[in-house]
Amino acid sequence: MPTTDPADLSLEQKAKILTGRDHTTSHPIGEAGIPPIVLVDGPHGVRPPRTAADHLGINESRPATCFPPAVAVGSSWDPDVAVRVGEAVAREARAYGIDVVLGPGVNIKRSPLCGRNFEYYSEDPLLSGVLAAAHVRAMQASGAGASVKHFAANNQEDDRVHVSADVDERTLREIYFPAFERVVTEAKPATVMCSYNRVNGVFAAENPWLLTEVLRDEWGFDGLVVSDWGAVHDRVAALNAGLDLAMPMDWGVGEASVLEAVRSGELDESVIDRSVQRILALAATATGAETGSSGDFDVDAHHALARQLAAECAVLLKNDGGTLPLASTARIAVIGSFATAPRYQGGGSSHINATRTDAALDAIRALASGPDTVRFAQGFTLKGTDEAMRTEAVAAAREADVAVVFAGLAEADESEGYDRETIDLPAAQVEVIRAVAAVARRTVVVLSNGGVVSLEGWHDDVDAILEGWLLGQAGGGALADLLFGVANPSGRLAESIPFRLEDNPSYLNFPGELGHVRYGEGVMVGYRHYASIGLPVRYPFGHGLGYTTFTTAGLEAAPTGDDTAEVAVTVTNTGTRAGKHVVQVYVSTTAGPVRRPARELRAFAKVALEPGESRRVAFALDRRAFAYYDVEHSGWAVAAGEYTVQIADSATDVTAEAVITLPGDTPEARPLTIESSLGEWFAHPVVGPELTTRLSAAAPAPEDEEEAEENARLLRMAAPMPMSQFFLYAPLSDDDREHLLALAHASTSASVSVSASA
Ligand code: BGC
């Protein structure tokens, strides 16, 4: 067993081990028996380097199964899907001697333009956190460490290595932190990866508030903090902030600066010992096998699993007249280059060298009743369309019972490293969809895209839309399974599809300017914004259809003490096929002093039911489900008042609701001082009535109702005035003033109490 005690290493050895050896390994210390830790990208597969490694996925890696990326897993709304991806990825990681798989990414989809949205789960922190925690728990239980990333506020690629994400604390705590917090507290990842960007002006890699106060002191993280690749600018500042391992290699720059800082007394050796100890602890669990190992895993079984899981993720957005599922005997015109050359993952560091890929056309042919029933026309290529291609597509569509157009985005349209500028589908594809829909008896559009694409300009022309996102290497097979009803669609949108990009709340503040991106929309991200201002979207967060129908009934919600509640509802499959329903539980309130979103997802469950089967589904809502982050008191607060628990089919489709009343935190008066406003003095339960009494006694009584109203108006006008000023004008004696100030002092020395954690 290699040492885990920094005291066993020399200062030079310790300085060396704090920075990576190359792109995928930490420094081994042979003399001390310390193996390298092998950290390789994922997380929907592994990317073991062949020879030259890089962190942008430029060089081809050794083959691995490309499972559905996070954008797809997000749409499954099913922690079990995340578990099975996590377990399988760990099996492949072990086969390749990988100790830590870099991921999952739990950054929130703030804007549909973020080039890396395919690597993230959702615009909602609860959905992201629950799925990521399931992935991490399963992957680590199966023998590979995780690196939850990118902490924090890395919600765009544009200028990602410099930009300062300027975000108010409530928004960080309520939207951008909770997924990290859940993974850290529930799944205990081996490592957390800091992001490249600055958070409120300070690089995440050098941010002690982020990496130590929040991550370790508040959430209790005791694993290793690793930098994003090349995110460290000042090795000493990063160590002081709590960043342990700087990746990748830096040709000795970090090592030299650490040695110099310790020798000059600028850096306390205990600080490096703390980080070295964490690196040694992880190295002690490393296999030391490095990436030269066998790579033996069950390729066929993992491909079959990838197909099964992909089918859980696609979202059936529209299905007019029961167009889907297709009869196996239907004459089908398959159109679009994505049917033969599938788009199934995103570009950049998470890019997997898939063991094989399923083309949807082949899978459709395999499920159709005869080879002659399926005809293919390309319609367009990634470069565009022309008349010949369109004519061929239209001819095929005219002869068929149904046309299925495979449209989407090319890999070059979205990637790590840059953001998109539009959410439009390429114009050539829209043209082909419309031309086909104009002649086809029925038209189905199947989409492959990592970030949201607009459905405008063609949505109403087609009968059905299956949003496949990026489904991994077996996505083509899964799409065929869904089209023919071999599998029943059960995905739900993990992000809203707006009518216009401009409707997105981040629109005016994305991707920022002059090195800053201001998160001006605050907590009103995604559906929180649309629902709060009643802005219609094309399809809301949570939306998704299937080939059966469900009802939810018998909602019961009751407080369980300590500002928690239990909720139960009965789900019934009222259709004729087995299927899965996602029960979505939202909480809505106006209680408390801060603006709350119209509703927020607070629990969910995916339930599999046979036709006619019913099940009672229960949820325990914890305190946090009702809390807001109180920045004045640095803690989570529950306001006393009414909370509406809503069961919904999407963020805009509430099917049942129940109101509960919570006692909330004990409201204590804020300290009242001579600088508090007149309004605050009047509002105070003890001092307010006394002030009214003394004022009434001092001033002549109003002669009539009109004068009383005018007096009230004047007081309203003076309400924001500090008491120090009001005293100058008020008809109060010295005795009145002294008495009121003494009363204020005596009755308001305590402040509002809020808990540090909810
Ligand atoms: C990415 C990380 C990735 C790392 C290592 C960086 O460019 O932002 O997500 O894990 O490279 O390849």
Side-chain angles (χ1 to χ4, degrees):
M1 180 85 170
T3 180
T4 56
D5 186 356
D8 293 339
L9 302 187
S10 66
L11 176 62
E12 290 70 20
Q13 288 173 324
K14 289 190 286 192
K16 187 177 277 299
I17 209 172
L18 291 169
T19 303
R21 175 179 67 177
D22 52 39
H23 268 284
T24 51
T25 57
S26 68
H27 260 291
I29 307 279
E31 313 88 272
I34 297 163
I37 307 167
V38 180
L39 307 105
V40 161
D41 271 307
H44 53 275
V46 290
R47 201 166 66 87
R50 263 186 213 284
T51 45
D54 66 89
H55 64 286
L56 290 175
I58 297 166
N59 294 309
E60 195 180 78
S61 48
R62 298 178 71 190
T65 312
C66 178
F67 290 96
V71 59
V73 176
S75 304
S76 76
W77 287 61
D78 189 351
D80 194 46
V81 169
V83 163
R84 299 182 69 195
V85 171
E87 287 168 349
V89 168
R91 281 195 289 273
E92 297 194 17
R94 284 206 318 267
Y96 279 119
I98 295 165
D99 302 308
V100 174
V101 180
L102 302 173
V106 297
N107 298 99
I108 294 297
K109 302 187 201 218
R110 173 175 177 247
S111 163
L113 297 178
C114 174
R116 232 175 157 176
N117 273 357
F118 62 83
E119 270 191 76
Y120 303 139
Y121 293 100
S122 176
E123 68 188 24
D124 181 81
L126 177 80
L127 183 56
S128 304
V130 168
L131 296 172
H135 177 108
V136 170
R137 253 195 311 262
M139 192 166 77
Q140 298 204 145
S142 307
S147 189
V148 61
K149 65 191 187 182
H150 310 87
F151 189 54
N154 175 192
N155 309 98
Q156 65 190 60
E157 291 301 283
D158 196 282
D159 198 23
R160 68 170 167 158
V161 299
H162 293 117
V163 75
S164 174
D166 296 343
V167 201
D168 69 88
E169 188 177 355
R170 179 181 161 217
T171 299
L172 285 172
R173 299 281 189 171
E174 293 189 17
I175 303 292
Y176 296 99
F177 281 179
F180 288 100
E181 183 180 3
R182 184 176 293 273
V183 174
V184 164
T185 55
E186 292 184 3
K188 304 203 176 310
T191 79
V192 169
M193 186 192 293
C194 78
S195 56
Y196 284 120
N197 53 285
R198 301 171 206 245
V199 178
N200 293 321
V202 184
F203 279 116
E206 289 149 26
N207 197 318
W209 177 70
L210 208 57
L211 301 188
T212 297
E213 286 175 46
V214 172
L215 182 62
R216 295 193 187 278
D217 300 347
E218 288 185 33
W219 300 346
F221 180 64
D222 60 4
L224 179 90
V225 174
V226 60
S227 72
D228 200 342
W229 268 225
V232 172
H233 301 265
D234 178 336
R235 190 66 191 95
V236 174
L239 275 165
N240 275 324
L243 184 133
D244 305 309
L245 176 63
M247 286 297 288
M249 69 290 185
D250 68 357
W251 294 279
V253 176
E255 185 183 335
S257 67
V258 169
L259 285 174
E260 194 185 309
V262 174
R263 285 175 184 144
S264 71
E266 183 200 341
L267 179 65
D268 199 311
E269 197 167 339
S270 65
V271 174
I272 68 168
D273 284 349
R274 194 179 59 185
S275 288
V276 167
Q277 198 275 326
R278 293 179 191 135
I279 295 170
L280 294 181
L282 187 58
T285 66
T287 62
E290 306 213 29
T291 46
S293 21
S294 72
D296 279 346
F297 57 89
D298 191 337
V299 173
D300 294 338
H302 279 191
H303 185 77
L305 177 65
R307 179 167 178 163
Q308 188 195 335
L309 297 178
E312 301 281 334
C313 303
V315 185
L316 181 61
L317 296 175
K318 169 176 179 168
N319 191 20
D320 289 354
T323 300
L324 293 176
L326 304 175
S328 60
T329 50
R331 289 170 303 151
I332 306 167
V334 174
I335 295 159
S337 57
F338 292 103
T340 50
R343 170 86 206 290
Y344 59 94
Q345 65 173 327
S349 59
S350 71
H351 196 275
I352 309 299
N353 179 15
T355 57
R356 72 177 69 139
T357 50
D358 283 355
L361 180 61
D362 297 337
I364 288 171
R365 288 208 162 112
L367 291 174
S369 60
D372 303 338
T373 54
V374 180
R375 181 170 161 194
F376 175 68
Q378 198 168 35
F380 60 86
T381 68
L382 296 183
K383 293 203 172 75
T385 180
D386 59 25
E387 205 172 330
M389 283 193 259
R390 276 195 306 276
T391 307
E392 189 197 7
V394 165
R398 196 175 268 129
E399 282 170 22
D401 297 318
V402 58
V404 184
V405 185
F406 284 81
L409 297 179
E411 192 158 326
D413 290 336
E414 45 185 352
S415 167
E416 175 174 348
Y418 52 90
D419 295 321
R420 287 188 296 162
E421 283 169 9
T422 171
I423 58 169
D424 293 346
L425 262 189
Q429 296 184 33
V430 174
E431 206 181 327
V432 173
I433 292 171
R434 298 196 59 179
V436 164
V439 301
R441 288 180 183 78
R442 292 284 176 97
T443 305
V444 178
V445 173
V446 178
L447 292 170
S448 298
N449 46 293
V452 162
V453 292
S454 170
L455 314 180
E456 302 319 303
W458 56 271
H459 173 274
D460 295 349
D461 299 346
V462 305
D463 302 283
I465 304 175
L466 182 60
E467 173 54 273
W469 302 113
L470 304 178
L471 289 176
Q473 68 180 46
L479 288 169
D481 291 341
L482 291 163
L483 289 170
F484 284 105
V486 175
N488 190 348
S490 63
R492 301 288 185 268
L493 288 179
E495 54 200 297
S496 317
I497 302 181
F499 278 110
R500 310 176 317 149
L501 172 64
E502 293 85 337
D503 293 342
N504 180 269
S506 74
Y507 180 72
L508 292 176
N509 286 306
F510 187 93
E513 55 209 10
L514 302 175
H516 289 263
V517 51
R518 201 166 65 83
Y519 285 36
E521 69 285 3
V523 299
M524 300 295 176
V525 174
Y527 73 85
R528 286 168 164 77
H529 167 79
Y530 302 124
S532 297
I533 64 168
L535 186 66
V537 290
R538 174 53 82 180
Y539 288 112
F541 172 85
H543 168 77
L545 308 172
Y547 302 148
T548 186
T549 47
F550 296 92
T551 57
T552 44
L555 168 64
E556 284 176 321
T560 40
D562 203 20
D563 296 325
T564 57
E566 60 188 11
V567 176
V569 71
T570 301
V571 192
T572 306
N573 182 345
T574 49
T576 53
R577 283 171 183 260
K580 292 182 180 172
H581 182 64
V582 178
V583 185
Q584 303 170 36
V585 183
Y586 296 82
V587 171
S588 172
T589 188
T590 54
V594 297
R595 184 73 182 241
R596 310 291 287 264
R599 66 182 57 87
E600 297 184 89
L601 183 74
R602 293 310 194 202
F604 62 92
K606 196 167 190 178
V607 194
L609 294 171
E610 294 297 319
E613 191 185 351
S614 286
R615 185 155 333 134
R616 190 101 183 125
V617 187
F619 302 90
L621 298 185
D622 60 9
R623 219 179 101 78
R624 185 71 73 83
F626 305 100
Y628 65 93
Y629 191 81
D630 180 339
V631 289
E632 267 188 0
H633 301 93
S634 302
W636 293 94
V638 176
E642 291 192 341
Y643 292 79
T644 308
V645 175
Q646 301 176 322
I647 302 297
D649 284 346
S650 75
T652 58
D653 189 5
V654 175
T655 56
E657 59 181 37
V659 177
I660 58 170
T661 302
L662 297 179
D665 301 314
T666 317
E668 287 179 42
R670 291 159 64 125
L672 203 58
T673 72
I674 195 164
E675 290 311 319
S676 302
S677 69
L678 180 60
E680 287 172 302
W681 277 69
F682 272 125
H684 191 275
V686 178
V687 186
E690 183 65 10
L691 174 62
T692 307
T693 308
R694 297 237 164 187
L695 276 174
S696 315
E703 283 189 357
D704 51 25
E705 210 174 301
E706 210 175 311
E707 196 183 331
E709 270 174 24
E710 178 59 6
N711 286 351
R713 193 185 73 80
L714 291 174
L715 279 179
R716 196 170 162 207
M717 202 164 73
M721 184 183 276
M723 199 58 177
S724 55
Q725 275 190 45
F726 184 72
F727 275 150
L728 300 178
Y729 310 109
L732 292 170
S733 65
D734 289 350
D735 176 57
D736 286 333
R737 275 196 293 276
E738 272 160 36
H739 171 76
L740 288 165
L741 282 170
L743 192 61
H745 183 72
S747 56
T748 66
S749 36
S751 59
V752 182
S753 80
V754 290
S755 63
S757 64

